[in-house]
Structure formats: C-alpha cells, structure tokens
Amino acid sequence: QVQLVESGGGLVQPGGSLGLSCVASMSILNFSAMGWFRQAPGKQRELVAVITSSDRDSVKGRFTISRDNAKNTVYLQMHSLKPEDTAVYYCHAMGRTVVNGRLPTYWGQGTQVTVSS
C-alpha cells in the first residue's frame, strides 16, 4: 500500500523556477532508487532525474533532485524553465524486495507543470 504524493506544480513564466515534492507513505529507504518522470500530451513518458539512497543532491542541467530521508520526501528543483518543460510530472520509486516474482515500482498521481507567458 505504498503511496507517493506529488505537490508543487503550477503555472510559471519562461525563465522561472518551481520546486516539486514527493512524499512517500513509508520510509524512502525502502526504495533502491527514486526519480521524477514527466509526460507531455502526445509524448512518451521520459525520465527527468533519478536519485539513489544517498541524500546528496544530483544536478542534471537546470534541474536538481534531492531527498530528505527523515521526511520521506524527494524533491525536484527546476530553474530556467522553458515551455518545453510543460508536462505532468510523476514521482517514481523502485522497491528493494521482490513481490510476486518481480521488483515492484510505484508511481504518484502526477502534478501539472505549465511553463507559459
């Protein structure tokens, strides 16, 4: 019964910044990795950033993914946003324990990010 809940999406102007949060219903140490994906209308879902058990930030271009294990939360800080960043952003987690013959993965419900002037 793992739940991932994203928040922080909204409307921003090009060049602006936005921070997303993903709160898990259990310790995120239960996950081997967590990440952010995004999907725009008519496009395939794509990986934005991934982070492992370490709490060290991972910078990928204009985006930074980080985690706070004590808060069961993963963050995505986005800067210099462009219209092409517009998409639904999803939190993702990979489990550590095999269940029913497979390694489970979990998805949040998504949060909309719209970059437009």
Side-chain angles (χ1 to χ4, degrees):
Q1 299 296 317
V2 175
Q3 291 182 301
L4 304 174
V5 181
E6 305 98 331
S7 62
L11 175 64
V12 296
Q13 292 186 330
S17 299
L18 199 64
L20 306 181
S21 298
C22 171
V23 180
S25 60
M26 63 194 309
S27 172
I28 59 175
L29 295 175
N30 288 287
F31 308 121
S32 61
M34 299 189 71
W36 289 91
F37 288 74
R38 68 184 183 188
Q39 187 168 24
K43 294 186 177 181
Q44 188 175 357
R45 187 171 297 187
E46 63 175 339
L47 176 67
V48 177
V50 64
I51 191 168
T52 58
S53 298
S54 173
D55 61 357
R56 182 168 297 177
D57 295 354
S58 179
V59 180
K60 296 191 66 177
R62 297 171 291 112
F63 297 175
T64 299
I65 187 170
S66 60
R67 62 192 291 154
D68 188 333
N69 294 335
K71 296 182 178 180
N72 298 340
T73 302
V74 173
Y75 305 95
L76 183 69
Q77 190 64 46
M78 305 181 290
H79 299 285
S80 300
L81 285 164
K82 304 175 181 179
E84 52 262 43
D85 295 318
T86 296
V88 177
Y89 284 70
Y90 296 92
C91 183
H92 175 260
M94 296 182 62
R96 292 184 180 273
T97 304
V98 174
V99 178
N100 294 328
R102 75 183 190 99
L103 192 66
T105 61
Y106 308 96
W107 293 94
Q109 80 287 351
T111 185
Q112 175 71 230
V113 173
T114 302
V115 185
S116 176
S117 57

